[in-house]
Each structure stands twice: as C-alpha cells, then as structure tokens.
Amino acid sequence: MSSEAKIIKLLRDHSLALPRGRVYVIEDRCKGCGLCIEFCPKKVLHQSERFNAKGYHPPELIEEPPLKVCIACKFCEMICPDFAIFVEEVSAEEVGGMEEGAECTNGGG
Amino acid sequence: MIANSHDLEHPMDKYLRTDRLPHVWCPGCGIGTVLSCYLHAVDNLGLDKDKLVMVSGIGCTGRAAGYVDMDSFHTTHGRAIPFAIGLKAMKPELNVTVFSGDGDLFAIGGNHIIHAARRNADINVICINNYNYGMTGGQLAPTTPETAYTTTSPYGNIEPPFNLVGLMAVSGAVYVARWTSIHVRRLTKSIEEALEKRGFCFIEVLAPCPTAFGRRNEMRDPVESLKYFKEQAIVKNFVNPLEATIEPNKKFYVGKFVDLEEEMTFEDRLWLMTSEEFLKAPSKKRKEMILGVRRHVKEHMEVLLHTPEPTEEGGKGEGV
C-alpha cells in the first residue's frame, strides 16, 4: 500500500476532513504557460483542447482522477503569473466523497 | 457552473486594475508570479491599500506599477529609489515598495540603491533578477552569469556578475533575502516580513525569462527554468551573503541572509534634523543624537564577520 493510500485510509477510518478546493479558471487571461499543471502537488489539471480568445490552451480538470483531488493548497493561484486561476476552499460535504472531491469551473469555454 | 469567465473574480482583483489585464509579460514570465506573491502578502497582512505605494522603474518589471490598484509611480530609468526615498521622507505614514528589475536597480540605478542601503532608507525593494535586459531584447546585464549567452555576448559572457545580496548586505541593508519564483510561499512570507519591518529591506527574486534569456540558454520552457531553480536552490537561512554567488549549473543559496533589529532610519534622522529639540541643542548633544548612524554600520559589520550558524529551513517536502 502506498503511503498516500495509507493516509487516505487513516483519514477514512477516523473520518478526518481533508481540505477540498474548487478550481476556477478565468480562461481569457490564461497564456498557457503550464506552471499550474506542472507544479500541482495532486496533478489534478491538464491542458485542454480548447482555445481561448488569445489562442492559448487553458488548463482544465482531469476527468476521473483516482486519488487526484484538489486539496485547496492554492499553489496554482500563487504561481499563476496571469491571475487566471484561483481556488475556493469548500467543505467536503459540498463536493461529495473523496474520489469526486475536485470540481472545476471553467468560465466561458 | 458560471456561464461567463468575465463574471469570475480572482481574489487578487481588488488590488489590480483589471481593465489592463491580461498584462504584457510573456507566457511563463516570473514577474507575474512575484506580483501575485506581493499582493498575497498584502492581503495576508490586511494592509490598507491607500497606505501602500509601489514605485517602479523602466523595464519589464517596471510595468508592474501600472497594474496595481494602489498609488504607484512609474519613474524614469534607474531612478525608482530616489522617487521612493523622497516619497517616504515627506509622507512617513506610507508603506513604500520599490518593485523593479535587476537592470533598472543595479545597472543604471546602481549608485542609488547602494546609497539608499547605506542611509538605511525606510523602503522595501523587491528586485526581480531575470539575468538580462529582457524588454530591449536580451542584452548582457550586470547580473548575467558567466558563460551565459545573450544577444550581446554571442560567445558567452566573459564577466563575473554582481552578487546582489552580498552587495546589499555590505552596503547596510537591515533585511536581505533571496528567493526564486518557484518558492512562492516563502517569498510571500519574506515580503510580509519586509512590509512590516522598518529600514531598508531588500529581496532578490530569481525569475525565469523564457523569451529573451531562456531561449539562448537551453531554458526555453518556463517549466524547465522553474525545475532548474527547484533543483539548484539550497534553502538555508543566515548563510554569509558574500558566499552566496550564482554560478552557472551550480547550486546556489536562497533564504534570508540578514535580519537586523530595528535601526534608526534615514527618515528618522531627517525628521530629527528638523526638530526643535535638535536645532536648539548644543553641538555636542547634536553629535550624540546622530550617532545612530555609526551604531548601524558597526553592528552590521559584526553580523557579517560573525554570522550565526546557518539554519536549515523547513522539512524535506516540496521545498517551496
């Protein structure tokens, strides 16, 4: 069992709440540099196929992430040079179980 | 779901002139990240934005003053520090931050910054070091590492670069730190400390310049540059700043180098000079009143000569 899975198990047993986040992307500000995708500790993002108004590919949430839930660390929010991504901390009940913990709202599209 | 991205409001939008966004900086440029860290630091401290001033010079980083929704100066080339000192001298209640690049602060404005540090002017300086003159097309700067390629050093740089933190520490800055744009949390904490501290605070931030510098030095991708920073940076506090040089493909120190206690600042002495008590005092008393200057320099040298043991910072983790 990987250490990450152990932690998940412990969290389940003791019903501890892990912080959860909901990711928002302001697509028209994105310049597609990929820093949020690369440095996300949970790797919840990937580059989308869509184009924004400037012709870049904004990030979007990976579908069906097994352990990949946004834990609201807000690293993407801080590292984004374009003020294009931010995270809202939400309660676990609001976003459902562990597996479907992350949610992404893409504006426009 | 929110239907339109224009309806979304970024948490930092309250400090930004959003009508000017997206900004001019290239994709992956570190300046935006550092501006984001500065705004997060302001937000964490809950400072009143009417009491904050951002002063910047010319260059890519100089554009930052145009994007913040607070009082800001976009000054002539290299003269951000004199503007900031004048502002702070007349309006001591303001929290003045100089946000500029290495070319502006250390090439054309080199003299101003060392004298501001010597006087211990009560301003914060955030210097974004991207190793070259980015806006004018990637020319050789005083901070370009040896052997690096730029448009004006096509066979590799033959000059040694400035060690900015060492220079600032010996000049008399009371707070000296260096971070890179991947160390966002520690950088934010450092900016918070500088904003709350009196005296001359200097923070150097190494930032990738994928378009002008990275392209010629095998770091075309901003992600690659940041990974390089993450691998090469050793996070340690109170290393002797004179040893913290940056050499190509070698590890370098990041962290807090100097953090001295509250000192008499330039503005304090300036206001002291105009006080009635000072003007009426006999000349011997006046000398005593000014002696804060000497204490400042002496303590400084002591710190540099007998630096405390370097301390490891944080756990293993991500190191950011």
Side-chain angles (χ1 to χ4, degrees), chain B residues 178-184 187 204-207 226 229-230 233 252 254:
Chain B
R178 173 199 280 154
W179 299 105
T180 77
S181 67
I182 183 78
H183 298 93
V184 285
L187 172 61
E204 176 190 7
V205 191
L206 303 176
L226 286 187
F229 284 149
K230 200 172 162 184
F252 55 85
V254 297

Side-chain angles (χ1 to χ4, degrees), chain A residues 24-29 31-35 38-39 41 54 56 73-75 77-87 104-109, chain B residues 1-6 8-13 16 18 21-23 25 27-29 32-33 35-36 39-40 181-182 184-185 188 223 226-227 320:
Chain A
Y24 295 91
V25 181
I26 306 173
E27 295 203 347
D28 285 346
R29 284 189 193 171
K31 289 180 187 159
C33 63
L35 298 184
E38 182 62 36
F39 294 105
K54 288 207 163 217
Y56 296 110
C73 73
K74 302 194 178 183
F75 195 82
E77 181 183 318
M78 305 211 48
I79 205 160
C80 177
D82 297 282
F83 303 96
I85 188 166
F86 64 97
V87 179
C104 182
T105 305
N106 295 308
Chain B
M1 284 289 268
I2 292 161
N4 196 324
S5 72
H6 295 292
L8 288 173
E9 198 185 337
H10 192 279
M12 292 303 120
D13 275 2
L16 288 164
T18 46
L21 292 177
H23 50 58
W25 299 315
C29 175
T33 307
L35 183 62
S36 161
L39 297 180
H40 275 90
S181 67
I182 183 78
V184 285
R185 289 192 205 287
T188 307
V223 172
L226 286 187
K227 278 185 178 166
V320 287

Side-chain angles (χ1 to χ4, degrees), chain B residues 106 113 117 120 123-125 127 163-179 190-191 193-194 197-205 236-242 244 253-260 296 300 303-304:
Chain B
F106 283 90
I113 197 163
N120 194 21
I123 54 175
N124 311 307
V125 179
C127 173
N163 171 9
L164 303 187
V165 288
L167 179 68
M168 283 296 95
V170 296
S171 302
V174 291
Y175 184 93
V176 179
R178 173 199 280 154
W179 299 105
S190 199
I191 295 173
E193 284 175 5
K197 204 170 170 64
R198 292 180 77 247
F200 189 86
C201 301
F202 177 78
I203 301 171
E204 176 190 7
V205 191
K236 225 172 209 187
N237 281 345
F238 301 116
V239 173
N240 188 341
L242 301 177
Y253 289 112
V254 297
K256 191 159 74 175
F257 295 94
V258 177
D259 192 356
L260 293 178
H296 172 65
H300 214 85
V303 167
L304 288 184

Side-chain angles (χ1 to χ4, degrees), chain A residues 4-69:
Chain A
E4 202 170 23
K6 269 183 198 165
I7 293 166
I8 301 292
K9 191 171 177 293
L10 273 174
L11 284 168
R12 280 226 178 98
D13 293 348
H14 300 88
S15 62
L16 289 174
L18 204 68
R20 300 293 165 75
R22 188 175 287 151
V23 186
Y24 295 91
V25 181
I26 306 173
E27 295 203 347
D28 285 346
R29 284 189 193 171
C30 178
K31 289 180 187 159
C33 63
L35 298 184
C36 53
I37 298 167
E38 182 62 36
F39 294 105
C40 173
K42 288 286 177 185
K43 300 270 179 273
V44 301
L45 296 164
H46 75 153
Q47 204 161 47
S48 67
E49 301 273 301
R50 293 190 299 282
F51 292 100
N52 66 6
K54 288 207 163 217
Y56 296 110
H57 296 286
E60 66 177 8
L61 208 77
I62 298 175
E63 281 174 30
E64 295 172 24
L67 283 174
K68 292 162 182 167
V69 287

